[in-house]
Amino acid sequence: MSERAADSVEAVFREEWGRLLATLVRWVGDLDLAEEVAADAMAVALERWPVDGVPDRPAAWLLTTARRRAVDLLRRRQTYAAKLAVLKVEAERAESERLGADAAPTDVIGDDRLQLFFTCCHPALAPEARVALTLRYLAGLSTAEVARAFLLPEATMAQRLVRAKRKIREAQIPYRVPSAAELPTRLPAVLSVVYVVFTESYAASGGSALLRPDLADEAIRLARILHRLLPSQREIIGLLALLLLVDARRAARVDEAGALVLLEDQDRSHWDRTLIEEGRTLVVSALTGGAPGPYALQAAIAAVHDEAATVETTDWPQIVCLYDVLRATAPSPVVELNRAVAVAMVDGPDAGLALIDGLAAAGDLDRYHLLHAARGRLLDRLGRPGEAAAAYRRALDVVGNEPERAFLTRCLAAAERADTT
Amino acid sequence: MRYLLLIYSEEPTAPPSQEEIDATMAEWWEFDGAIKAAGVHLAGDALQGSQTATTVRLKEGERVVTDGPFAETREVLGGYYLVDVPDLDSALDWAARCPGAKYGSMEVRPIQEMEA
């Protein structure tokens, strides 16, 4: 077959995978079966499209093919549940054909992905299972890609997905969109999965970076899908804005040698202005109309950084104010730490250090390398290199990933040199 | 679909006062009335304290009887409800409404249906 046909199948499939799967799940009520027949439809497409050409409505073609296959498989099962499912699929087909007769010739199939999002991110599933399910079934990554993204063996990831699907089926986790009343309690779990996918793109490292799927891109794609599905949800807008405003700095975050560059040392001319503009527009809507949520506030903080030409001209008092609101909305020791760093920029390193020492004494963040790293930097600025070196050593004890380890090792070496001179 | 809602809580170390007993029992009666009125209730009971438990095992065909629950844990099984509801979300809703969720933990387990 021609490579171009294979590419177009691949492109259509990846784009449509989540939608196709979500619709099939709604029809047959079973993620495994939906996955199997979607994969079968893909295989048929790979065979036929290079010969017959790509159909005018590729998504509808895939759905029809998958549906026929599902009915075949269900008929063979002969169970009562399978018979019910066949009836449901046939009824859905009659319904979609009735609608299709009146619909525009463009490719209009429904979008059931929201249900699938809420199932994959159900609180009854373990957090790491939610992330794996969402990447596999909504972002359309293969099991091997999801495994590589988390630097796990493929068999481990496959096992994780199998267990999660078994729980969905056996505990009967429903495929449904929560009611408006339930949304405030259910949406945060969905947003958190997307956020974890994004932060993982920064945190995890090692292996061959080239082989890893780009999780930042996947997270942004997922956030955009959610935003389209629930356009009025301000925390989704806030999350999308946050991801764009942080991702805008991607090119400046590491130097040519791959070493980590701190925000204050980044070459801001390498920041992506288009992403910043889009993010800023979104932040405004996320902050408008009632008390803002934690993602909107973090996005606002990212926007203040992105708007500044240098670290000195950054509106630090504004950032402290935003952290004040954030700590009232979503209190956490990490928020306190970030606020302390901003306070150090406004009131001097002594003021920041006093706050960080208070946090260190509380002990919650003792295994969080950034607490010790931030302490080290403030002690550096205060001309106390011996204490700074001790803080960097503690940070190195608990840091997990390689670029940050390399960065802290450089900080430690500099502090040790300053201490002996 | 049937789910078993298992009610776990710490057993009181000191006997509660009469007012405490009355207030707690009123909550339980209210929940019990609601779950029965909703038509999802199949069964439900409170158990005697874990000090009354006896564990039985067969070891190489020999019956071994020991005093106490099968595992010593801080929270012990104190009762259950068996409900018939459409899906896990409804089962979780009932579990969250149960006073057991407030005073301890509720474990929600789907019943394994045997295909005839």
Side-chain angles (χ1 to χ4, degrees):
Chain A
M1 70 179 287
S2 80
E3 215 164 283
R4 231 181 91 212
D7 282 351
S8 61
V9 173
E10 183 87 11
V12 168
F13 189 68
R14 177 142 168 79
E15 198 46 44
E16 294 298 334
W17 169 247
R19 265 171 44 156
L20 180 64
L21 204 66
T23 302
L24 288 166
V25 166
R26 182 164 64 81
W27 287 359
V28 303
D30 182 296
L31 193 48
D32 269 324
L33 180 60
E35 190 182 357
E36 184 182 340
V37 298
D40 285 349
M42 165 74 172
V44 176
L46 277 167
E47 228 170 80
R48 297 266 300 275
W49 292 5
V51 182
D52 306 346
V54 176
D56 293 340
R57 303 169 57 195
W61 189 98
L62 284 169
L63 188 59
T64 304
T65 310
R67 190 199 60 226
R68 287 203 191 109
R69 180 92 185 115
V71 170
D72 279 353
L73 288 177
L74 285 166
R75 288 219 167 102
R76 262 178 242 164
R77 286 189 187 176
Q78 286 296 329
T79 61
Y80 177 66
K83 283 176 187 156
L84 270 184
V86 171
L87 289 176
K88 184 140 184 280
V89 174
E90 298 292 2
E92 291 283 355
R93 187 185 59 159
E95 177 68 11
S96 63
E97 278 173 2
R98 192 182 62 76
L99 290 172
D102 307 326
T106 49
D107 191 1
V108 191
I109 62 170
D111 199 330
D112 299 299
R113 281 179 292 184
L114 202 51
Q115 304 186 24
L116 194 53
F117 260 111
F118 279 102
T119 306
C120 290
C121 302
H122 198 282
L125 297 165
E128 63 273 15
R130 297 176 209 166
V131 172
L133 288 168
T134 305
L135 283 174
R136 175 77 188 93
Y137 297 112
L138 286 148
L141 266 56
S142 69
T143 303
E145 286 171 324
V146 182
R148 278 205 298 278
F150 289 91
L151 309 172
L152 287 171
E154 186 175 344
T156 310
M157 188 51 77
Q159 192 54 244
R160 186 177 289 178
L161 286 164
V162 165
R163 282 209 194 100
K165 279 189 287 182
R166 190 183 299 148
K167 173 142 191 198
I168 293 173
R169 189 174 58 246
E170 290 176 353
Q172 200 108 1
I173 293 178
Y175 296 97
R176 68 179 185 99
V177 178
S179 67
E182 292 168 286
L183 262 188
T185 55
R186 291 287 310 277
L187 192 56
V190 179
L191 300 181
S192 155
V193 163
V194 177
Y195 187 66
V196 165
V197 169
F198 186 78
T199 53
E200 191 65 28
S201 73
Y202 290 69
S205 153
S208 172
L210 286 172
L211 286 176
R212 292 183 70 200
D214 193 318
L215 287 180
D217 286 345
E218 294 305 332
I220 290 171
R221 209 157 66 81
L222 290 167
R224 286 194 193 279
I225 296 171
L226 279 174
H227 179 41
R228 270 201 301 279
L229 294 170
L230 288 170
S232 62
Q233 283 296 320
R234 285 166 52 218
E235 268 297 81
I236 296 178
I237 303 175
L239 175 65
L240 178 56
L242 173 63
L243 303 192
L244 295 174
L245 290 164
V246 173
D247 197 50
R249 306 178 204 137
R250 190 196 292 210
R253 194 175 294 111
V254 286
D255 63 18
E256 294 83 22
L260 203 66
V261 183
L262 286 189
L263 184 65
E264 57 198 75
D265 303 321
Q266 287 175 14
D267 179 350
R268 297 183 179 213
S269 67
H270 290 161
W271 288 1
D272 187 327
R273 304 315 306 180
T274 316
L275 289 183
I276 293 174
E277 276 321 305
E278 188 187 355
R280 286 178 52 176
T281 310
L282 288 165
V283 168
V284 175
S285 7
L287 292 173
T288 311
Y295 289 112
L297 289 164
Q298 292 177 77
I301 292 166
V304 176
H305 284 300
D306 286 2
E307 283 159 16
T310 62
V311 70
E312 292 78 23
T313 54
T314 300
D315 188 349
W316 290 104
Q318 165 87 329
I319 289 179
V320 173
C321 283
L322 287 165
Y323 274 121
D324 285 340
V325 185
L326 183 57
R327 83 209 278 216
T329 313
S332 87
V334 173
V335 171
E336 293 297 328
L337 174 63
N338 292 334
R339 182 179 171 278
V341 172
V343 167
M345 297 305 290
V346 177
D347 299 330
D350 277 313
L353 187 63
L355 292 172
I356 292 182
D357 283 343
L359 276 170
D364 297 332
L365 295 182
D366 194 47
R367 300 205 54 79
Y368 187 54
H369 64 283
L370 293 178
L371 176 122
H372 304 288
R375 242 189 117 244
R377 291 188 69 77
L378 291 180
L379 288 162
D380 268 337
R381 282 173 58 192
L382 287 164
R384 291 154 65 180
E387 290 164 87
Y392 290 133
R393 274 184 217 109
R394 181 71 193 122
L396 280 163
D397 285 343
V398 289
V399 70
N401 76 76
E402 231 12 82
E404 287 186 295
R405 172 173 299 281
F407 177 80
L408 287 165
T409 307
R410 288 200 305 277
C411 293
L412 174 59
E416 279 172 342
R417 269 197 310 279
D419 194 31
T420 52
T421 50
Chain B
M1 170 139 170
R2 292 180 301 157
Y3 294 85
L4 190 62
L5 316 183
L6 296 145
I7 303 158
Y8 286 89
S9 61
E10 280 183 53
E11 293 184 314
T13 43
S17 71
Q18 192 55 47
E19 293 83 63
E20 282 170 327
I21 295 174
D22 290 347
T24 314
M25 283 317 291
E27 286 179 57
W28 280 103
W29 288 127
E30 193 197 335
F31 175 75
D32 199 72
I35 198 167
K36 283 174 178 159
V40 299
H41 176 275
L42 297 175
D45 287 290
L47 305 181
Q48 296 281 8
S50 67
Q51 75 284 354
T52 64
T54 310
T55 301
V56 184
R57 294 180 185 84
L58 274 190
K59 286 215 169 128
E60 287 150 23
E62 292 290 312
R63 179 193 298 195
V64 181
V65 176
T66 45
D67 174 45
F70 89 96
E72 293 290 345
T73 48
R74 208 165 46 84
E75 293 198 319
V76 300
L77 184 62
Y80 72 94
Y81 278 98
L82 182 65
V83 298
D84 190 355
V85 291
D87 55 39
L88 183 67
D89 281 355
S90 339
L92 295 179
D93 285 344
W94 282 109
R97 278 179 69 178
C98 178
K102 191 167 110 190
Y103 297 114
S105 315
M106 302 288 299
E107 182 176 324
V108 177
R109 294 280 288 270
I111 300 292
Q112 192 174 350
E113 304 289 355
M114 299 297 177
E115 295 239 0

